[in-house]
Amino acid sequence: MSFVEYGDTIKDGDTAIVFLGHESMFPVKVQHGTVTQTKYGVIRHSTDLIGKKYGSKVTCSKGGWVFILHPTPELWTMNLPHRTQILYSTDISIITMMLELKPGSIVCESGTGSGSLSHALIRTVAPTGHLYTVEFHQQRAEKAREEFREHGVEHLVTVTNQDVCKNGFGVSDIADAVFLDIPSPWEAIGHAKSALKAEGGRICSFSPCIEQVQRTCLAMEEYGFTEINTLEILLRVYNVRTISLQIPDLGKAAEDNSLTGFDSSNPSNQGSLCANLQQGTVQFKSGVPLREMVGHTGYLTFATKS
């Protein structure tokens, strides 16, 4: 099993996603002799998982069923254990595009955190590219190494435990792109410039506060970066619903009533009039925005090494 190469069959030691529904799923490490409890009952790894195809519908001990999915960076982002605040697919997609990443690209990242963006970057640059990721916190760096090894991508990533603001990324003049997600990114701009290739390398800095963005932009200008721009991604979800609207009569109903001698003032006729008006409705599908939406996550500042 690898996050960058699809495997058809579930094997012992794989990381798989147990899918109970769009709002309910979780990762599980497949191990011979192990069982996993769900609200639908027990899943026995030896008989229910190992040897089955990914995407299979597995019946649990209580009669309910789940799907077993092959892991992807997107599914991992939704299910990973949070060691830090993470980036989600909305921001990850624009980062990948704006940094102009492709198979074979060399990327430097700081900090590694929970590895949400790291898995997406590795999938994008595979099979010939490489990710150099720096994490200040020793335990988080060790956990990231362990996860990359379990997910079959350790040959595509190098994890370093050090302070990027003081010691840099440990590489020079080779990176096609640099990503910064640290409290003071302006202190690492010089090291980012050193890690980037001679010309045309791209840099992205993620910051939740506009004051951080301002200091970072000033540092980028000082180090000669060009095409500096900051953007924010806001995701607005719409629900498709059936809406009923009454067809306006524009006076035609009153006209018809007068011609037929219909007395709308008569109480016995008012119920019939209301029924006729209710029957004159039209139904159609429409997109309706949710009453609540995910708001600000962070600002993304991009620039190019001139």
Side-chain angles (χ1 to χ4, degrees), residues 1-3 5-8 15-17 54-55 68-72 75:
M1 185 278 302
S2 171
F3 272 50
E5 296 177 1
Y6 183 79
D8 188 58
T15 297
I17 304 297
Y54 279 106
I68 307 299
L69 306 180
H70 192 284
T72 65
L75 289 175

Side-chain angles (χ1 to χ4, degrees), residues 7-229:
D8 188 58
T9 305
I10 304 172
K11 298 181 177 63
D12 189 11
D14 282 4
T15 297
I17 304 297
V18 179
F19 181 89
L20 293 82
H22 289 290
E23 302 298 328
S24 179
M25 63 184 91
F26 59 90
V28 62
K29 185 173 181 180
V30 180
Q31 292 179 313
H32 186 76
T34 303
V35 298
T36 296
Q37 294 283 352
T38 75
K39 63 181 180 180
Y40 300 125
V42 172
I43 301 174
R44 295 174 176 81
H45 294 201
S46 301
T47 57
D48 297 333
L49 298 184
I50 297 176
K52 299 290 181 64
K53 289 187 175 182
Y54 279 106
S56 296
K57 184 178 179 180
V58 174
T59 302
C60 304
S61 61
K62 292 182 181 179
W65 47 267
V66 299
F67 287 106
I68 307 299
L69 306 180
H70 192 284
T72 65
E74 290 77 17
L75 289 175
W76 185 245
T77 291
M78 297 171 64
N79 295 281
L80 59 78
H82 285 227
R83 300 183 288 273
T84 59
Q85 181 60 267
I86 68 169
L87 290 177
Y88 290 91
S89 297
T90 307
D91 288 313
I92 291 173
S93 60
I94 197 70
I95 291 169
T96 303
M97 183 189 74
M98 294 293 287
L99 290 182
E100 302 173 2
L101 301 182
K102 59 186 182 298
S105 295
I106 306 297
V107 187
C108 292
E109 174 198 26
S110 183
T112 312
S114 301
S116 173
L117 177 64
S118 303
H119 283 81
L121 294 177
I122 292 170
R123 195 261 309 273
T124 302
V125 304
T128 56
H130 201 83
L131 172 66
Y132 294 90
T133 182
V134 178
E135 173 56 51
F136 176 79
H137 194 276
Q138 182 178 358
Q139 290 181 335
R140 288 201 293 263
E142 292 174 353
K143 186 61 178 178
R145 288 194 192 97
E146 179 185 339
E147 286 180 350
F148 293 142
R149 183 170 57 253
E150 290 179 353
H151 299 164
V153 296
E154 71 277 8
H155 61 292
L156 296 169
V157 57
T158 299
V159 182
T160 305
N161 173 220
Q162 63 186 28
D163 185 351
V164 70
C165 296
K166 294 181 179 179
N167 307 114
F169 293 93
V171 296
S172 300
D173 304 320
I174 64 169
D176 296 288
V178 170
F179 176 79
L180 298 174
D181 183 6
I182 54 178
S184 53
W186 55 89
E187 296 181 1
I189 298 299
H191 294 297
K193 183 178 181 180
S194 299
L196 287 169
K197 59 186 181 182
E199 186 177 356
R202 296 278 287 167
I203 183 174
C204 174
S205 174
F206 177 90
S207 297
C209 302
I210 196 64
E211 292 80 7
Q212 294 171 300
V213 174
Q214 292 171 333
R215 295 189 64 175
T216 303
C217 289
L218 291 174
M220 288 178 175
E221 287 183 344
E222 181 182 345
Y223 281 95
F225 283 89
T226 60
E227 300 178 345
I228 302 172
N229 65 87

